[in-house]
Amino acid sequence: MNAEIIAVGSELLLGQIANTNAQYISRELAAIGIDVYYHTVVGDNQVRLTNAIEQAQKRADIIIFTGGLGPTKDDLTKATVAAVVGRSIEIDTESLRRIEAYFARHNRAMTPNNKKQAEVIAGSTVFLNNHGMAPGMAFKEEQVTYLLLPGPPKELKPMFRTDARQFLFNQTNDSAQIFSRVLRYFGIGESQLETELEDLIDEQTNPTLAPLAGDQDVTLRLTVKHNNKEDAMKLLDDLEQKIQSRVGDYFYGYGETTIVEQVSAQLSQNSLTIAAAESLTGGLFSQKLTDVPGSSRLFTGSVVCYTNDVKQQVLHIPETMIDEVGVVSAECAQLLARNVANLTHASIGISFTGVAGPEKQEGKEVGTVYVGICTGDTAKDFTLHLSGNREQIRKRSVMYGCFYLLKELKKVEK
């Protein structure tokens, strides 16, 4: 089966928002064996949308629409699709009840056009919207399956996971279910990861294996189709074991987690606290860690030691060290980590010192970064040579710091 995704909304064509829905749906469809051949973006225009639908009908088994289900006049998707396939529009009573309850709950008057959001195409399977108002819907007409989903990603993604994916899967007339597992990696690029797993990717049947590059990390999505959950989990376990035997050194977590969240969880699990001394990162590590709920139990504090005076006066870096090896050095990184832990009475200290650019510092090239980690009486340093602009170097420094920290925390756990 092949699919086409039609995103509806003039704001997409104007560049006001990115079409992340198509990216998400394509990834989800690939995991269940449905190929996406075309992405189409259409403005809020009935004639052009009609043309797009008629074109898609000639080349796709499945047409998935995103957006245009709202209450305003320019929300044309339902009415246009219904007109093309020759079906009527009707009110879904449960969706209307939910919309009315929302307005009553918030003591707001419900305007007549909000009732429009409860409209669905006659004969559709309705996907109730648990994160918004307009329901999604799906139906089959003359060998083509149509899905209409809301535009906001916070509504679309959970609806796709809970309803749309299973609806599509059921179209195969198969009693099996889909089980997925996402593995997350850092410190290895997508191309290298794919090279390490090339034979597994080439030979995949069931389970399937799909790599995907993120902003800073790489994920692997393992998907198996089976009518028995226990057997499905065994297949996923076996494939994961093969994968981890090759690239497990870069693995940091499962699912939708982030590496910072994993650091926070590991600190909590080990009953440890942490403090940070940040030079080139300017407090970015501290911000990322304190963005995680519950960090107040783990994070004792930080010192943004951007100048040498602060490094000397607050964190007691000797002038002799600065004169002999400089602040952009492994020795300074270790001592910063040790001293910030002592200063704040934390179990662990982490430090970041280096050159974010745009010019060399102490004869060190832009992108030279030292991360120091002190656990107990032991201090270590990790050297990085990063590329990119100032912002990219800072972000990657924090990510690498979290990755090295996670490894050290797991050693403490053992």
Side-chain angles (χ1 to χ4, degrees):
M1 300 178 74
N2 71 85
E4 179 163 347
I5 300 169
I6 300 179
V8 183
S10 297
E11 66 276 10
L12 296 166
L13 294 173
L14 293 171
Q16 294 171 346
I17 62 171
N19 188 14
T20 57
N21 285 337
Q23 178 190 38
Y24 171 79
I25 294 171
S26 291
R27 189 166 66 237
E28 293 295 318
L29 293 180
I32 59 176
I34 296 175
D35 298 316
V36 177
Y37 290 163
Y38 297 95
H39 284 183
T40 300
V41 180
V42 185
D44 301 311
N45 180 281
Q46 189 167 16
V47 173
R48 288 193 284 274
L49 179 53
T50 297
N51 291 338
I53 297 168
E54 291 174 345
Q55 182 66 28
Q57 288 172 327
K58 299 172 186 176
R59 61 193 185 190
D61 304 307
I62 301 165
I63 307 175
I64 301 177
F65 300 84
T66 66
L69 306 185
T72 62
K73 290 183 178 180
D74 60 0
D75 289 310
L76 304 167
T77 305
K78 282 180 285 195
T80 307
V81 174
V84 171
V85 300
R87 294 197 182 198
S88 61
I89 294 287
E90 61 187 22
I91 291 291
D92 179 64
T93 54
E94 175 58 19
S95 294
L96 180 59
R97 185 195 67 77
R98 289 178 173 219
I99 294 169
E100 290 173 338
Y102 170 84
F103 282 95
R105 194 164 57 247
H106 291 83
N107 294 316
R108 290 171 53 192
M110 178 176 161
T111 57
N113 62 347
N114 275 292
K115 188 175 180 180
K116 178 182 174 184
Q117 293 187 96
E119 292 177 348
V120 297
I121 295 173
S124 295
T125 297
V126 177
F127 306 146
L128 293 174
N129 192 337
N130 296 316
H131 298 82
M133 294 193 186
M137 64 208 76
F139 63 92
K140 191 169 184 177
E141 182 76 33
E142 294 186 358
Q143 306 308 310
V144 177
T145 298
Y146 299 81
L147 276 78
L148 285 71
L149 303 172
K154 67 177 183 179
E155 300 176 28
L156 179 143
K157 290 182 179 180
M159 184 181 292
F160 192 94
R161 285 194 299 267
T162 57
D163 295 301
R165 183 166 53 185
Q166 191 61 48
F167 178 89
L168 289 171
F169 193 60
N170 291 342
Q171 301 305 297
T172 64
N173 297 316
D174 196 327
S175 61
Q177 289 181 283
I178 293 172
F179 302 91
S180 295
R181 182 177 302 172
V182 174
L183 313 180
R184 307 192 77 90
Y185 298 86
F186 181 79
I188 183 172
E190 183 184 20
S191 57
Q192 183 186 348
L193 185 70
E194 189 169 319
T195 298
E196 296 289 339
L197 305 175
E198 187 172 8
D199 58 316
L200 297 179
I201 295 172
D202 290 343
E203 296 167 4
Q204 63 180 323
T205 52
N206 188 35
T208 58
L209 173 61
L212 177 69
D215 183 31
Q216 299 284 343
D217 59 4
V218 184
T219 61
L220 286 174
R221 184 174 190 128
L222 284 53
T223 304
V224 65
K225 178 179 174 182
H226 210 286
N227 53 17
N228 182 283
K229 184 176 181 179
E230 186 176 335
D231 291 342
M233 293 301 104
K234 177 66 165 57
L235 289 170
L236 291 177
D237 290 342
D238 291 346
L239 179 57
E240 180 182 343
Q241 187 175 9
K242 292 177 183 177
I243 293 167
Q244 301 294 44
S245 68
R246 303 184 191 185
V247 294
D249 287 345
Y250 304 98
F251 173 77
Y252 74 81
Y254 294 95
E256 297 302 312
T257 189
T258 68
I259 198 165
V260 181
E261 289 170 342
Q262 288 300 298
V263 166
S264 179
Q266 196 69 45
L267 285 166
S268 180
Q269 183 175 322
N270 293 9
S271 300
L272 297 172
T273 56
I274 190 169
E278 300 192 61
S279 183
L280 88 155
T281 49
L284 185 59
F285 171 84
S286 303
Q287 177 199 328
K288 294 293 185 184
L289 187 60
T290 54
D291 281 345
V292 180
S295 58
S296 59
R297 300 190 305 270
L298 315 168
F299 186 63
T300 59
S302 67
V303 176
V304 179
C305 48
Y306 215 65
T307 67
N308 288 359
D309 284 346
V310 174
K311 291 181 180 72
Q312 288 180 270
Q313 296 170 18
V314 179
L315 290 173
H316 310 300
I317 301 302
E319 187 174 355
T320 54
M321 175 179 284
I322 295 175
D323 292 339
E324 292 173 8
V325 297
V327 295
V328 183
S329 64
E331 293 87 344
C332 185
Q334 286 192 24
L335 193 55
L336 284 170
R338 186 185 298 277
N339 288 355
V340 79
N342 291 336
L343 178 67
T344 63
H345 306 290
S347 313
I348 295 173
I350 186 169
S351 71
F352 300 86
T353 181
V355 189
E359 299 173 347
K360 290 183 180 180
Q361 182 180 340
E362 299 179 348
K364 305 285 176 45
E365 295 290 340
V366 173
T368 303
V369 177
Y370 297 93
V371 178
I373 296 176
C374 180
T375 55
D377 297 327
T378 305
K380 294 183 179 181
D381 60 85
F382 303 87
T383 305
L384 300 169
H385 299 283
L386 305 175
S387 60
N389 58 32
R390 283 174 62 84
E391 182 182 7
Q392 291 168 331
I393 289 170
R394 286 174 165 179
K395 285 182 177 179
R396 294 183 68 198
S397 296
V398 170
M399 290 286 287
Y400 270 103
C402 289
F403 183 65
Y404 295 138
L405 180 58
L406 193 57
K407 284 184 170 293
E408 294 303 308
L409 289 171
K410 288 182 177 179
K411 291 177 184 177
V412 172
E413 180 187 34
K414 295 176 182 177

